[in-house]
């Protein structure tokens, strides 16, 4: 099993540019989560999909952030326009079901730096 | 709202010493409880989890955790720490919501 795959692993961009982060969950998993990790705020849940449908996006910071899951094997998180305060590590995680006892499997993360 | 508290931001231990990382949760009923580990530059990996049954849970890499309802705690322990255990440790719980709530993490530093 390849695990959760994220790309790119590192992204450096300038303020105002569009950034797209990509995630491929583990095959057969029906729940997908996007998190942001910073020193100041720790690990924050941005959005949660179940069966490709966004269930909870209350953690999305503002309209500059959007996420899609067009099929069970692919999701994107887009920031447009990007700002320096968006600099963080962004993680994608998937779980087999939507059950609260289910383990989340995390990808290696994308380290985003906005200059 | 549910919350998870990890009171120690950093813990320093000597290699071979025992370890206990603290975690307290706020959910009133029996929660699902997790410990994850994050090595530098990596994503989080599950160490162990509790959702019912025996309150002492065994995990990978020689870790264990004990659920204590009376103290709303789920502390992580290891009898003898190895240098490779240096990492960030996260406690998480999911109770009333299916979406887990993570603590702020505890950074473990291991001295040789």
């Amino acid at each position: 099993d390849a695990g959760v795959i994220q790309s790119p692993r590192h992204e450096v961009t300038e303020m105002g540019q569009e950034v797209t982060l990509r995630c491929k969950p583990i095959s057969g998993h029906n729940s997908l989560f996007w998190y942001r990790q910073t020193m100041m705020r720790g690990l924050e849940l941005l959005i949660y999909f179940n069966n490709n449908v966004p269930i909870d996006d209350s953690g999305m910071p503002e309209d500059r952030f959007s996420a899609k899951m067009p099929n069970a094997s692919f999701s994107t998180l887009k920031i447009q326009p990007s700002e320096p305060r968006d600099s963080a590590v962004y993680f994608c995680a998937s779980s087999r079901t939507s059950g609260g006892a289910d383990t989340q499997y995390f990808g290696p993360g994308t380290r985003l730096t906005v200059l | 709202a549910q919350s998870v508290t990890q009171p120690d931001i950093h813990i320093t231990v000597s290699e071979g010493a025992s370890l206990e990382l603290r975690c307290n949760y706020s959910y009133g009923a029996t929660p699902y409880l997790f410990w994850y580990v994050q090595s530098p530059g990596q994503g989080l990996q599950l160490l162990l989890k509790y959702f019912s049954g025996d309150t002492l849970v065994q995990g990978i890499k020689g870790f264990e955790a004990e659920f204590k309802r009376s103290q709303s705690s789920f502390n992580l322990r290891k009898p003898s720490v190895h240098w490779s255990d240096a990492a960030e440790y996260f406690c998480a719980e999911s109770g009333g919501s299916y979406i887990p709530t993570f603590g702020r993490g505890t950074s473990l530093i291991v001295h040789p």
Side-chain angles (χ1 to χ4, degrees):
Chain A
D1 195 332
V4 175
I5 299 172
Q6 290 186 248
S7 64
R9 291 294 309 275
H10 301 274
E11 177 81 34
V12 180
T13 191
E14 293 189 345
M15 183 174 62
Q17 297 297 306
E18 177 179 295
V19 175
T20 299
L21 311 182
R22 297 172 176 79
C23 174
K24 177 178 170 54
I26 293 173
S27 176
H29 285 195
N30 70 10
S31 292
L32 184 138
F33 306 79
W34 281 101
Y35 290 92
R36 178 172 67 178
Q37 185 180 41
T38 61
M39 290 292 291
M40 289 295 294
R41 301 171 69 91
L43 195 65
E44 302 173 274
L45 177 67
L46 299 177
I47 188 168
Y48 158 54
F49 290 89
N50 183 247
N51 290 323
N52 313 337
V53 176
I55 303 300
D56 185 344
D57 65 355
S58 60
M60 295 286 265
E62 50 201 90
D63 292 345
R64 296 185 299 106
F65 284 68
S66 62
K68 294 181 180 179
M69 193 164 185
N71 56 61
S73 59
F74 184 65
S75 176
T76 59
L77 179 68
K78 186 177 292 187
I79 308 172
Q80 165 65 17
S82 58
E83 297 182 3
R85 60 192 168 122
D86 301 330
S87 297
V89 181
Y90 291 81
F91 288 103
C92 176
S94 69
S95 63
R96 195 160 39 84
T97 71
S98 59
D102 216 351
T103 300
Q104 291 195 0
Y105 294 84
F106 283 75
T110 296
R111 181 173 295 277
L112 173 65
T113 302
V114 184
L115 303 173
Chain B
Q2 298 156 233
S3 66
V4 175
T5 302
Q6 294 181 245
D8 303 304
I9 298 174
H10 303 281
I11 290 270
T12 302
V13 298
S14 298
E15 192 169 17
S18 63
L19 171 70
E20 182 168 30
L21 302 183
R22 296 182 291 165
C23 172
N24 292 97
Y25 63 90
S26 67
Y27 185 61
T30 300
Y32 301 126
L33 295 161
F34 308 80
W35 276 100
Y36 287 84
V37 60
Q38 182 182 26
S39 298
Q42 304 289 321
L44 280 68
Q45 178 188 16
L46 181 74
L47 281 175
L48 49 80
K49 65 181 178 182
Y50 169 83
F51 50 91
S52 67
D54 193 345
T55 57
L56 186 63
V57 181
Q58 302 296 320
I60 62 171
K61 305 185 182 187
F63 285 92
E64 66 177 27
E66 186 171 12
F67 169 59
K68 292 187 177 180
R69 184 189 303 277
S70 62
Q71 299 176 19
S72 297
S73 70
F74 189 56
N75 294 350
L76 182 70
R77 301 194 294 248
K78 186 169 184 178
S80 177
V81 170
H82 188 262
W83 64 266
S84 60
D85 293 324
E88 189 89 12
Y89 291 80
F90 292 89
C91 182
E93 69 97 359
S94 59
S97 163
Y98 290 138
I99 299 173
T101 300
F102 284 84
R104 289 298 305 269
T106 297
S107 178
L108 175 64
I109 301 163
V110 181
H111 281 311

